Amino acid sequence: MAQYQKPPDPRKENDLQPPRPRQMRADSGEPTPWLWLLLGLVVTCVSLLLAMWLAMSFLLPPPLEVDGEAVIIRLTAPPTAVPSITPINPTPTTMPTLTPEPTIDPVVAPPVITVNYYAQVVNTDGVGVSVRGGPSTANVRVTVAPEGAILLVLAGPTEGDGLEWWQIQLEDGTEGWVAGDFLEPSVAP
């Protein structure tokens, strides 16, 4: 069986270099470069100071030139009033009075067409008046109120198509809008 043999070192045969002993890094005899570290710190500080000086000299405005004497301005607060004592009792407030709305008397006809009173259909030559869905002749016709019919006025007047329109309610409960030219105030039926 063959055995392993260490090959011969070619350097020994030629005697070119003697082998030197191996050293660990911690065992190296080189000193720490304190001098270079200190020099780098000094250069950094000097360059920072130089940069600050340049920035301040360019960013700060130059001082203003003054002609003559300097004027001193004193700012003072205006005098304040002496505080007064607040009365302990508050001022009384008046009670609002109730103003009742006038009651509607349907027995007497008002002088003009009025909301919540009655009106009668007139001036239609017996044809009757169109009751429409809105205050305009363009709105759809709901029904026709006959001449002499008594209507309850709900709202109005509203302007539309050059006419004055009133919202009314017929005796059967139908609601709609009628032109005011065909109505006159009336008593309750």
Side-chain angles (χ1 to χ4, degrees):
M1 180 182 288
Q3 287 189 354
Y4 174 75
Q5 292 180 357
K6 187 175 179 183
D9 190 6
R11 291 178 291 176
K12 285 186 180 179
E13 293 175 8
N14 298 338
D15 288 330
L16 297 176
Q17 273 184 348
R20 62 180 188 166
R22 291 185 151 258
Q23 293 181 354
M24 299 299 281
R25 288 186 186 204
D27 294 342
S28 67
E30 297 178 20
T32 307
W34 292 108
L35 181 62
W36 292 108
L37 186 63
L38 183 62
L39 184 64
L41 185 64
V42 168
V43 167
T44 302
C45 289
V46 168
S47 58
L48 282 176
L49 288 174
L50 181 65
M52 283 178 48
W53 177 77
L54 285 173
M56 294 302 253
S57 65
F58 286 120
L59 294 179
L60 289 179
L64 299 174
E65 295 183 23
V66 179
D67 297 336
E69 295 182 21
V71 177
I72 298 174
I73 300 174
R74 287 189 186 170
L75 300 176
T76 58
T80 58
V82 177
S84 62
I85 297 173
T86 306
I88 295 172
N89 298 330
T91 32
T93 57
T94 57
M95 281 295 273
T97 57
L98 178 65
T99 307
E101 291 188 22
T103 57
I104 297 173
D105 187 10
V107 178
V108 179
V112 292
I113 299 173
T114 309
V115 176
N116 294 329
Y117 281 91
Y118 290 91
Q120 184 176 11
V121 177
V122 294
N123 302 330
T124 63
D125 294 331
V127 176
V129 67
S130 294
V131 179
R132 298 195 177 267
S136 170
T137 55
N139 286 301
V140 74
R141 182 185 306 173
V142 177
T143 187
V144 175
E147 176 97 21
I150 303 295
L151 314 170
L152 176 63
V153 179
L154 301 176
T158 301
E159 183 69 29
D161 293 336
L163 296 171
E164 190 175 76
W165 293 82
W166 294 88
Q167 185 178 17
I168 55 93
Q169 182 179 20
L170 296 170
E171 289 178 2
D172 64 357
T174 305
E175 293 183 6
W177 291 83
V178 174
D181 293 346
F182 303 105
L183 298 176
E184 72 176 20
S186 175
V187 293

